[in-house]
Amino acid sequence: MSKFEVKVVGGTPTKRPEGAIKRLRRRICGTIKAVLLRPRMIVLTGIAGFLVFVGTPHVGWDYQCRHPMRGFGSCNSVAWCAYYGIQGRREERPAHGERCKLVTFLPLDFNKLIEGVL
């Protein structure tokens, strides 16, 4: 039997497993770099979040009073308000004693969006 001697030259050494603190630090640094290097992405994310959680702008146009009006009096309590905006015409029913707003933000109507897609 003959004996052979084997040597590895120029190979990369095996890596030790990364610790939890080092992984967390790397993720935090990556997030900070992404925020600083991609401001458009942050602006688009902010706009999308605003539209989903707050809504889209609408202008009040029609309303119906809960009680009959005489002359040019003001309506103190409305039955419904019709708003026109990006989502089209939307009717909202405010609480008793509230008036219609001239400009308001209405949340997205996901049922209408799903019906339009399907």
Side-chain angles (χ1 to χ4, degrees):
M1 286 214 183
S2 53
K3 293 185 178 182
F4 293 99
E5 189 176 315
V6 179
K7 289 184 180 180
V8 178
V9 181
T12 57
T14 59
K15 290 185 177 181
R16 291 179 16 188
E18 212 173 43
I21 294 176
K22 195 170 187 178
R23 280 193 307 253
L24 181 64
R25 184 175 46 150
R26 192 168 39 113
R27 283 188 180 174
I28 291 172
C29 289
T31 304
I32 291 172
K33 283 181 185 177
V35 168
L36 294 176
L37 297 177
R38 297 181 187 143
R40 278 183 247 143
M41 184 68 90
I42 299 300
V43 170
L44 290 175
T45 303
I47 290 172
F50 184 83
L51 292 177
V52 168
F53 292 109
V54 176
T56 57
H58 285 73
V59 177
W61 198 262
D62 289 337
Y63 63 91
Q64 180 180 9
C65 284
R66 289 186 194 272
H67 54 82
M69 289 178 39
R70 294 182 186 174
F72 293 106
S74 62
C75 182
N76 293 327
S77 181
V78 295
W80 54 265
C81 304
Y83 294 103
Y84 295 90
I86 295 172
Q87 300 178 51
R89 184 177 193 266
R90 297 262 311 260
E91 283 188 12
E92 294 293 315
R93 306 204 183 295
H96 188 73
E98 290 186 9
R99 294 182 177 182
C100 295
K101 298 176 184 173
L102 182 60
V103 177
T104 187
F105 288 90
L106 297 176
L108 291 175
D109 186 6
F110 288 106
N111 292 331
K112 197 176 218 181
L113 290 173
I114 291 171
E115 286 175 3
V117 172
L118 298 176

